[in-house]
């Protein structure tokens, strides 16, 4: 039995790449492109040498200027969307659609943050990255005031995504890896829509506009023969961003709008080239107000993606592997459970990794399981630990009987 391996996307940036991102405007496009391509070549080679089967560019095209950055998976899109402005002026999140009872609150008003306000207020607790507090600039980190939608959303990222694609393809070719074993991560419509809004009538209009914009990115990636991973924490994480808590029924209706938007953006794209990543947010907090997987799994499975990536290794969600015993998983679907985590510095033992993989193998079969990480490792834990965890992941997959 050979269990394939992958990871969620973000990998540690080198000091050279972080410095280049900081000095991009000064160093010139050609020199920056050379540094970026070398970095992508190296990160693909390292994944391949460890034994990761389905590799990516480390999300190196999603700019980070510091090694700790929880937000680049999303904030990269700020520089690829027309119709938004960075401003210090306060603004509102998009209002709910007519008939909807769902309204998101700002990050500091989340229920988990309210329940543990002393923890979140204590800088020594390290549950929040300091990058959360910085201003967004050129696709950098999450801003204290989010970018505001001031006009119709358009896609301006054609050149940027082409650079991502060319960089990964070049690195794959250099390592003799088939394009079908390469993927590029892209934000989902629902997650992209968590912008402040001064243009659209309601939340649903924002989500639909984001779907039409991001379709261009998904098409570019898949037409190049690569797979696209759609990062959508909004499906699970938004539950905590609604205060007071809604009914499960209302929330399911809310996230179905987001699932439908993904499908609209994927129209005509082969589901075999699509990975959907589901998580409850990657910050290192208590997560006591996370919605259980069993409450939303049916919604998630309506997305036209062959592969489903989800957290299954951390202390809050590892127990949910049993959910899949009661799910009628379509025969064309493949599970990508996280079997090593981003939320602890402890490096998982390969035998534990093998045990975690084995749970899913027993339920759906070895040919429908790809072992992965809970979330992106880059920007969330020390680089040495990230690579040690990927090594443990590959070793554990080889131990599965």
């Amino acid at each position: 039995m050979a269990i394939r391996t992958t990871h969620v996307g973000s990998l540690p940036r080198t000091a050279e790449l972080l410095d280049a991102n900081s000095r991009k405007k000064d160093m010139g496009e050609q020199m920056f492109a050379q540094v970026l391509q070398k970095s992508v070549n190296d990160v693909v080679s390292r994944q391949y040498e460890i034994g990761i089967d389905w590799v990516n560019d480390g999300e190196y095209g999603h700019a980070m200027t510091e090694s700790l950055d929880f937000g680049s998976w999303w904030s990269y899109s700020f520089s690829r969307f027309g119709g938004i402005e960075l401003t210090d002026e306060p603004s509102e999140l998009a209002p709910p659609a007519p008939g909807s009872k769902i309204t998101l609150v700002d990050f500091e008003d989340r229920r988990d943050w309210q329940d543990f306000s002393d923890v979140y207020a204590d800088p020594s607790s390290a549950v929040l990255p300091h990058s959360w507090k910085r201003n967004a600039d050129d696709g950098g980190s999450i801003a204290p005031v989010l970018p505001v939608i001031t006009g119709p959303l358009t896609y301006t990222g054609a050149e940027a995504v082409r650079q991502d694609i060319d960089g990964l393809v070049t690195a794959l070719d250099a390592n003799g890896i088939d394009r079908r074993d390469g993927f590029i991560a892209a934000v989902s419509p629902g997650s992209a829509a968590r912008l402040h809004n001064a243009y659209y009538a309601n939340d649903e209009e924002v989500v639909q506009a984001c779907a039409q914009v991001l379709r261009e990115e998904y098409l570019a990636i898949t037409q190049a023969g690569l797979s696209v991973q759609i990062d959508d924490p909004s499906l699970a994480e938004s539950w905590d961003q609604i205060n007071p808590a809604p009914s499960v029924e209302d929330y399911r209706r809310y996230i179905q709008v987001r699932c439908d938007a993904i499908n609209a953006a994927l129209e005509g794209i082969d589901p075999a080239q699509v990975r959907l990543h589901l998580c409850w947010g990657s910050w290192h907090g208590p997560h006591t107000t996370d919605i259980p997987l069993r409450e939303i799994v049916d919604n998630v499975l309506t997305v036209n993606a062959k592969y489903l990536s989800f957290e299954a290794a951390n202390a809050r969600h590892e127990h949910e592997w049993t959910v899949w015993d009661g799910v009628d998983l379509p025969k064309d679907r493949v599970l990508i459970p996280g079997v090593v985590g981003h939320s602890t510095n402890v490096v998982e033992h390969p035998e534990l990794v093998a045990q975690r993989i084995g749970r899913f193998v027993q339920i759906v079969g070895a040919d429908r399981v790809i072992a992965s990480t809970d979330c992106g490792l880059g920007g969330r834990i020390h680089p040495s630990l990230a690579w040690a965890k990927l090594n443990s992941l590959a070793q554990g997959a080889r131990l599965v009987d």
Side-chain angles (χ1 to χ4, degrees):
M1 178 191 314
I3 300 296
R4 283 170 54 79
T5 56
T6 190
H7 60 93
V8 168
S10 183
L11 293 174
R13 277 64 163 176
T14 63
E16 182 182 22
L17 180 58
L18 292 172
D19 178 65
N21 284 332
S22 297
R23 299 189 301 110
K24 182 177 179 180
K25 293 178 181 178
D26 297 328
M27 67 190 304
E29 290 186 11
Q30 184 176 0
M31 184 174 293
F32 176 80
Q34 291 174 351
V35 172
L36 179 59
Q37 186 62 65
K38 179 182 181 299
S39 299
V40 173
N41 289 347
D42 291 346
V43 80
V44 169
S45 294
R46 192 163 186 180
Q47 292 170 72
Y48 181 70
E49 290 165 1
I50 285 175
I52 302 302
D53 299 298
W54 202 351
V55 304
N56 81 330
D57 61 349
E59 293 185 22
Y60 283 7
H62 300 177
M64 285 170 46
T65 57
E66 296 191 17
S67 59
L68 180 65
D69 187 335
F70 284 42
S72 62
W73 66 273
W74 172 44
S75 57
Y76 87 93
S77 64
F78 301 166
S79 62
R80 300 188 187 187
F81 276 29
I84 67 173
E85 294 181 10
L86 300 180
T87 176
D88 293 330
E89 294 298 321
S91 57
E92 301 297 326
L93 291 169
S100 173
K101 302 177 182 179
I102 301 294
T103 302
L104 297 183
V105 298
D106 285 320
F107 287 99
E108 66 270 14
D109 295 319
R110 289 169 178 247
R111 287 177 279 122
D112 194 61
W113 295 27
Q114 293 292 306
D115 291 348
F116 293 93
S117 58
D118 55 339
V119 178
Y120 283 101
D122 183 355
S124 68
S125 67
V127 297
L128 281 178
H130 58 277
S131 61
W132 209 287
K133 302 295 184 182
R134 297 199 309 271
N135 287 326
D137 180 24
D138 194 26
S141 301
I142 292 176
V145 175
L146 298 177
V148 179
I149 303 172
T150 57
L153 292 177
T154 60
Y155 188 65
T156 61
E159 182 177 346
V161 73
R162 176 52 55 188
Q163 185 176 53
D164 291 344
I165 292 165
D166 290 346
L168 179 56
V169 168
T170 297
L172 293 173
D173 291 346
N175 286 276
I177 302 172
D178 193 288
R179 290 193 189 191
R180 290 172 294 182
D181 292 324
F183 74 94
I184 289 178
V187 69
S188 71
S191 288
R194 291 190 292 188
L195 296 165
H196 287 229
N197 174 59
Y199 180 78
Y200 289 100
N202 54 58
D203 165 76
E204 190 166 332
E205 285 192 14
V206 176
V207 174
Q208 291 170 349
C210 287
Q212 293 306 307
V213 169
L214 286 164
R215 174 172 172 76
E216 296 188 41
E217 186 153 294
Y218 304 164
L219 281 170
I221 294 167
T222 54
Q223 287 174 351
L226 302 166
S227 294
V228 61
Q229 175 178 287
I230 299 176
D231 289 331
D232 201 349
S234 77
L235 299 180
E237 183 194 348
S238 294
W239 172 260
D240 177 56
Q241 205 177 348
I242 303 163
N243 195 1
S247 69
V248 171
E249 292 75 16
D250 285 341
Y251 187 72
R252 283 170 55 87
R253 284 191 287 270
Y254 172 80
I255 65 170
Q256 191 58 52
V257 169
R258 282 143 177 78
C259 293
D260 293 344
I262 297 174
N263 287 338
L266 289 173
E267 186 176 356
I269 294 176
D270 185 354
Q273 288 182 268
V274 183
R275 305 160 42 135
L276 175 66
H277 174 61
L278 169 76
C279 74
W280 285 260
S282 60
W283 74 91
H284 299 172
H287 286 274
T288 56
T289 52
D290 288 357
I291 191 168
L293 175 61
R294 67 176 179 274
E295 302 289 5
I296 61 171
V297 66
D298 290 345
N299 298 86
V300 172
L301 288 174
T302 65
V303 174
N304 293 326
K306 179 175 180 177
Y307 303 94
L308 176 61
S309 162
F310 55 94
E311 293 182 84
N314 65 55
R316 197 67 195 179
H317 294 284
E318 182 176 0
H319 69 286
E320 293 186 305
W321 67 270
T322 59
V323 168
W324 298 100
D325 247 335
V327 171
D328 185 15
L329 188 68
K331 293 181 179 180
D332 61 345
R333 301 299 178 90
V334 175
L335 301 182
I336 309 182
V339 292
V340 298
H342 62 283
S343 60
T344 174
N345 285 338
V346 177
V347 178
E348 295 83 351
H349 195 284
E351 291 186 11
L352 173 61
V353 171
Q355 290 173 10
R356 287 172 170 169
I357 297 170
R359 297 167 181 169
F360 295 95
V361 169
Q362 290 178 0
I363 296 173
V364 300
D367 60 334
R368 302 175 71 191
V369 176
I370 300 175
S372 185
T373 60
D374 265 357
C375 204
L377 300 178
R380 297 179 176 94
I381 58 175
H382 191 280
S384 294
L385 298 177
W387 290 110
K389 284 173 176 282
L390 284 181
N391 191 51
S392 193
L393 166 63
Q395 291 181 27
R398 291 193 287 267
L399 294 177
V400 179
D401 295 327

